């Protein structure tokens, strides 16, 4: 595919091969963008932002609504692109494509809702004859940088709100998975988005990222990816707004009144979908002593039913990891945990880019498999004796993106909600759950700012305060 730059589709002699994580075959190629291309993108986006600022909310709504309809019509095609470049099973690709269209539909609605506020200034002492109100305006140029694991869905969480808010956006998708983003941009342009207002530059983040993120013409960066790259971007960004959607090692607390079979089903879905490569994957199960054994039995039996193979084959339940180096890293972390005294109950074998779904029990909190982000198909289980210990352990991390508890006890559930430091809190489900309209984002080193079209539009607009001094 070509990249969308300067308002047109552009090719380059230098290419990047997009490889299937399943068999290493070349799915497609994309141009290898460089810092000069970023300059072109910025100059074009300046024009795009001016065009967008002249459009009415209803015009922006109409474009986004059309994009969403086109996405729904081409959902199967989008799902297959996702699966071929990312390696998740087709069933998950289909869910991602459906949700992506919904995000754009939600964004379309937000295009009509850039509300301001009347401020009752006479509430301040001695103030009379003044009329004050706020107006919300687009921030101008948005840079949207996205990771490999949801190559369409997460791009929609950036492009949809940016266009709804009246901005121009420059997308920088992950080098492993740029095809879904390029396909999305095709649909945006076809639906009538001014071509200067949506660009997609393909190329290595390490080579083009700084040119994009440090430039003062960019007024807002919305980044989803790893903690370390996020921190680097914050350093180079300077004085501009940033939203950071970063990683996690999400905990799931299991209290003794929970149903072990129900928890096992949720933990399996939550820990192993997309081969564990989800920012809110359940990584650390913290189970009460009185349910520990029963839960492990049920969990093992569920996890052993996950078949691995070609993600395009319908019966396959789990695909490969994105890169072989990641499969090696996960299997090394599993081995280190075993060497440190954890028990490998099932899985953990590496075959090329696959790691078979692994459960480790007796995991100690200071093991790497517990305290760093695994981002792979391995779940560790640790035993605790009461709710205090469970909450302390859940919080014993620099991350805070998603956390869960299984219990029927409202006091335990409420303590969990109040005391666990996490942006998303699930009671009686696993950590991996998201509705795209909710305010979604992490605490601590899992990031800052919220996504979900309503909230992202807020973060992609500026508030101006106007005061009429009346005679
Ligand atoms: P990553 O390595 O951090 O890459 C994310 C994006 O940043 C890619 O587009 C990458 O480009 C780009 N990038 C790399 N260096 C850059 C630089 N110096 N300046 C600007 N951009 C740069 O993350 P990943 O491996 O793709 O994704 C996995 C991570 O994303 C995990 O930590 C996961 O938890 C996190 N994540 C978080 C959420 C959330 O909502 N909180 C959702 C999904 C994933 P290249 O591909 O060219 O390197």
């Amino acid at each position: 595919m070509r990249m969308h730059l300067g308002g047109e589709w552009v090719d380059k002699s230098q290419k990047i091969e997009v490889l299937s994580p399943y068999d290493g075959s070349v799915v497609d190629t994309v141009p290898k963008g460089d810092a000069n291309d970023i300059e072109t993108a910025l100059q074009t986006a300046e024009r795009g932002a001016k065009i967008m600022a002249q459009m009415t909310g209803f015009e922006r709504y109409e474009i986004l609504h059309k994009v969403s309809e086109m996405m729904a019509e081409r959902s199967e095609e989008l799902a297959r692109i996702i699966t071929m470049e990312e390696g998740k099973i087709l069933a998950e690709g289909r869910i991602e494509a459906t949700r992506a269209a919904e995000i754009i539909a939600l964004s379309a609605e937000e295009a009509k809702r850039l509300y301001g506020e009347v401020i009752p200034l006479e509430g301040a002492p001695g103030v009379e004859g003044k009329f004050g109100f706020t107006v919300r305006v687009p921030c101008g140029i948005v840079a949207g940088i996205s990771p490999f694991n949801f190559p369409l869905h997460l791009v929609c969480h950036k492009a949809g709100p940016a266009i709804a808010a009246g901005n121009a956006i420059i997308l920088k998708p992950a080098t492993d998975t740029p095809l879904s983003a390029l396909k999305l941009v095709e649909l945006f342009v076809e639906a009538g988005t001014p071509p200067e207002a949506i660009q997609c530059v393909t190329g290595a983040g390490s080579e083009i990222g700084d040119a994009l993120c440090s430039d003062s013409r960019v007024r807002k960066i919305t980044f989803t990816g790893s903690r370390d790259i996020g921190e680097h971007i914050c350093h180079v960004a300077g004085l501009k707004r940033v939203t950071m959607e970063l990683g996690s090692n999400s905990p799931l607390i299991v209290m003794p009144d929970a149903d072990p079979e129900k928890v096992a089903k949720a933990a399996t879905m939550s820990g192993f979908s997309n081969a564990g490569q989800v920012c809110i994957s359940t990584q650390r199960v913290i189970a009460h002593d009185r349910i520990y054994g029963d839960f492990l039995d049920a969990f093992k039996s569920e996890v052993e039913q996950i078949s691995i193979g070609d993600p395009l084959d319908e019966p396959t339940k789990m695909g490969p990891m994105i890169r072989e180096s990641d499969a090696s890293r996960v299997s090394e972390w599993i081995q280190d945990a075993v060497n440190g005294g954890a028990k490998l109950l099932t899985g953990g074998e590496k075959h090329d880019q696959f790691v078979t779904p692994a459960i480790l029990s007796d995991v100690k909190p200071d093991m790497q498999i517990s305290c760093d982000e695994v981002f792979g198909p391995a779940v560790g289980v640790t035993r605790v004796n009461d709710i205090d210990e469970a909450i302390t352990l859940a919080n014993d991390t620099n991350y805070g993106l998603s956390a869960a508890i299984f219990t029927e006890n409202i006091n335990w559930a409420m303590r969990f909600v109040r005391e666990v430091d996490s942006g998303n809190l699930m009671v009686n489900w696993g950590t991996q759950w998201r509705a795209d309209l909710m305010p979604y984002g992490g605490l601590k080193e899992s990031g800052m700012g919220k996504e979900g079209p309503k909230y992202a539009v807020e973060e992609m607009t500026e508030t101006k305060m106007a005061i009429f001094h009346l005679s």
Side-chain angles (χ1 to χ4, degrees), residues 252 262 265-266 269 404-406 426-433:
L252 162 59
K262 195 173 157 195
K265 280 193 171 35
M269 192 291 288
I405 190 169
F406 268 89
M426 304 293 146
V427 177
N428 289 336
W429 192 248
T431 55
Q432 196 185 137
W433 196 88

Side-chain angles (χ1 to χ4, degrees), residues 146-148 172 175 205 223-226 229 245-247 279 373 440:
S146 47
F148 76 84
K172 205 316 266 172
T175 297
F223 172 78
T224 304
S226 59
I229 302 286
E245 297 284 353
L246 310 178
C279 50
E373 182 182 35
Y440 175 94

Side-chain angles (χ1 to χ4, degrees), residues 241-278:
R241 292 163 168 238
V242 290
T243 294
M244 289 283 143
E245 297 284 353
L246 310 178
S248 183
N249 56 359
S250 303
L252 162 59
I253 297 172
V254 190
M255 295 307 286
D257 57 347
D259 172 355
E261 308 284 337
K262 195 173 157 195
V263 185
K265 280 193 171 35
T268 303
M269 192 291 288
S270 203
F272 297 99
S273 63
N274 198 17
Q277 300 167 115
V278 182

Side-chain angles (χ1 to χ4, degrees), residues 180-222:
S180 307
L182 291 167
K183 195 74 204 167
L184 179 74
V185 173
E186 264 181 34
L187 300 183
F188 264 81
V189 174
E190 212 178 312
T193 312
E196 299 87 347
I198 185 155
Q199 300 177 85
C200 184
V201 185
T202 50
S206 55
E207 291 168 27
I208 61 175
D210 286 5
L212 180 62
C213 296
S214 64
D215 198 286
S216 60
R217 286 168 287 183
V218 173
R219 297 312 308 141
K220 163 82 190 175
I221 298 172
T222 166

Side-chain angles (χ1 to χ4, degrees), residues 34-348:
D34 57 30
N36 292 330
D37 297 317
I38 293 295
E39 181 53 33
T40 306
L42 287 164
Q43 286 180 16
T44 309
E46 281 188 297
R47 297 199 302 277
K50 285 195 184 120
I51 299 167
M52 289 301 297
Q54 296 303 316
M55 288 174 80
T56 65
F58 188 72
E59 286 168 333
R60 302 195 301 272
Y61 159 81
E62 283 190 311
I63 289 173
L64 288 165
H65 185 65
K66 192 162 175 198
V67 176
S68 151
E69 281 184 339
M70 289 159 76
M71 290 175 77
E73 278 160 22
R74 301 188 202 176
S75 196
E76 184 65 16
E77 181 193 350
L78 292 170
R80 285 184 175 270
I81 296 172
I82 292 167
T83 290
M84 284 190 293
E85 67 175 344
E86 203 271 352
K88 68 182 57 173
I89 58 170
L90 194 50
E92 291 172 6
R94 288 183 180 128
I95 293 170
E96 178 169 349
T98 305
R99 282 180 59 192
E102 283 166 13
I103 295 163
I104 301 299
L106 286 166
S107 301
E109 293 302 324
E110 294 306 324
K112 304 183 227 167
R113 293 182 191 147
L114 295 198
Y115 294 118
E117 221 182 342
V118 173
I119 312 294
L121 293 174
E122 72 282 5
V127 176
E128 285 172 24
K130 316 283 178 200
F131 185 75
F133 60 95
T134 63
V135 286
R136 296 221 343 256
V137 295
C139 59
I141 302 179
V142 176
I145 303 171
S146 47
F148 76 84
N149 64 330
F150 283 87
L152 184 65
H153 171 270
L154 293 172
V155 181
C156 287
H157 266 299
K158 302 186 183 319
I163 297 297
N167 296 298
I169 184 159
I170 302 171
L171 295 165
K172 205 316 266 172
T175 297
D176 287 313
T177 57
L179 304 177
S180 307
L182 291 167
K183 195 74 204 167
L184 179 74
V185 173
E186 264 181 34
L187 300 183
F188 264 81
V189 174
E190 212 178 312
T193 312
E196 299 87 347
I198 185 155
Q199 300 177 85
C200 184
V201 185
T202 50
S206 55
E207 291 168 27
I208 61 175
D210 286 5
L212 180 62
C213 296
S214 64
D215 198 286
S216 60
R217 286 168 287 183
V218 173
R219 297 312 308 141
K220 163 82 190 175
I221 298 172
T222 166
F223 172 78
T224 304
S226 59
R227 182 214 162 281
D228 291 354
I229 302 286
E231 189 175 39
H232 171 81
I233 289 173
C234 287
H235 280 136
V236 301
L239 294 176
K240 59 174 69 82
R241 292 163 168 238
V242 290
T243 294
M244 289 283 143
E245 297 284 353
L246 310 178
S248 183
N249 56 359
S250 303
L252 162 59
I253 297 172
V254 190
M255 295 307 286
D257 57 347
D259 172 355
E261 308 284 337
K262 195 173 157 195
V263 185
K265 280 193 171 35
T268 303
M269 192 291 288
S270 203
F272 297 99
S273 63
N274 198 17
Q277 300 167 115
V278 182
C279 50
I280 47 178
S281 279
T282 297
Q283 180 177 327
R284 300 181 289 140
V285 176
I286 298 166
H288 192 282
D289 179 52
R290 292 212 305 275
I291 196 172
Y292 192 80
D294 289 347
F295 164 70
L296 283 180
D297 290 346
F299 192 29
K300 181 168 181 286
S301 137
E302 283 291 330
V303 170
E304 287 181 342
Q305 292 171 39
I306 301 174
S307 55
I308 61 170
D310 183 345
L312 285 168
D313 281 350
E314 302 280 354
T316 302
K317 293 279 180 270
M318 194 184 94
M321 295 194 67
I322 189 72
R323 301 169 210 102
E324 185 162 14
S325 56
D326 283 299
S328 300
R329 174 183 58 76
V330 171
S331 59
E332 278 160 27
W333 288 16
I334 291 171
Q335 196 49 54
D336 287 350
V338 170
N339 295 343
K343 290 193 192 107
L344 182 60
L345 292 192
T346 188

